[in-house]
Amino acid sequence: MKEHACWELPPGYSLEREVKLPEDRGTLKIMAVLQLVLAAVLIGFGLWNHPIREAFSMGAVRTVAAFCFMAVGILVYILAHEWTHGVFIRLVTGRSAAFGLELKKGMAYAYSNAFLWKGPYLVIALAPLVVWTVLLGLLLRDVPESWFWYLYVIQIVNVSGAAGDLYITGLTLRMPKDVLILDSGMEMRYYVKKQ
């Protein structure tokens, strides 16, 4: 059985592609557009089923409290998103993930020094989106209508905030089957075996 990761680049592999998120303006633009499209679709879906006026129907004090809950929820979600990447890195590699925070660039990230095979890498990349979409979706089923939008905004941040993970997933899917990926959180390097 093939391991999910290796700690040294095997012989015959060489760098095929590199994505440097903070420096790659083209990639950042694509991710920003994807983020806006996802947010717009989710907002439209939410408005179709849940009038936003309900969010302001509970009085000033409770509305302010709900806004505070939402703001804290977004911050907690950002940390939970990266923690979920970290949990799956641990499950795949057997070693703990490292974490980073680039406040000036507005990025938090989990990473590993492992070279990951394509399948396990995709699991790590998509895990937070899948896990938190399901959990928040279950919570949204039972939340009172007046609180719906405050929780739903966290779901919007979840899905639209995964634009980078979705972009990298799309790029990874186009790579050869035996690709190895080294993801440092801000840079992804794709290595392929040369024939």
Side-chain angles (χ1 to χ4, degrees), residues 33-194:
V33 168
L34 180 57
Q35 207 168 20
L36 290 172
V37 167
L38 290 169
V41 167
L42 287 170
I43 290 168
F45 179 76
L47 289 170
W48 181 269
N49 295 301
H50 302 276
I52 201 160
R53 69 179 174 277
E54 291 294 325
F56 302 99
S57 66
M58 55 185 159
V61 172
R62 291 182 78 189
T63 299
V64 169
F67 268 108
C68 291
F69 160 81
M70 181 181 70
V72 169
I74 289 168
L75 293 175
V76 168
Y77 165 74
I78 292 167
L79 297 175
H81 177 103
E82 297 309 324
W83 173 81
T84 306
H85 279 308
V87 166
F88 278 83
I89 287 170
R90 172 73 184 201
L91 290 172
V92 167
T93 68
R95 297 187 189 173
S96 295
F99 297 91
L101 184 62
E102 296 281 337
L103 291 177
K104 288 184 179 180
K105 296 171 181 141
M107 294 182 167
Y109 52 93
Y111 65 97
S112 169
N113 292 325
F115 293 89
L116 297 159
W117 296 105
K118 187 176 188 175
Y121 182 71
L122 291 171
V123 169
I124 292 168
L126 293 174
L129 177 62
V130 172
V131 168
W132 292 106
T133 298
V134 170
L135 290 176
L136 289 167
L138 291 172
L139 288 172
L140 282 163
R141 285 185 340 179
D142 298 324
V143 74
E145 188 65 26
S146 58
W147 279 83
F148 175 84
W149 276 95
Y150 300 103
L151 185 58
Y152 191 60
V153 165
I154 298 170
Q155 181 74 295
I156 292 168
V157 169
N158 166 45
V159 175
S160 66
D165 296 332
L166 291 170
Y167 174 82
I168 292 300
T169 295
L171 181 62
T172 303
L173 286 170
R174 293 191 301 272
M175 289 289 168
K177 181 174 68 172
D178 61 351
V179 67
L180 281 168
I181 304 102
L182 178 63
D183 185 336
S184 67
M186 301 290 275
E187 296 179 6
M188 295 81 196
R189 292 184 178 99
Y190 293 86
Y191 296 89
V192 296
K193 192 165 191 172
K194 297 301 181 186

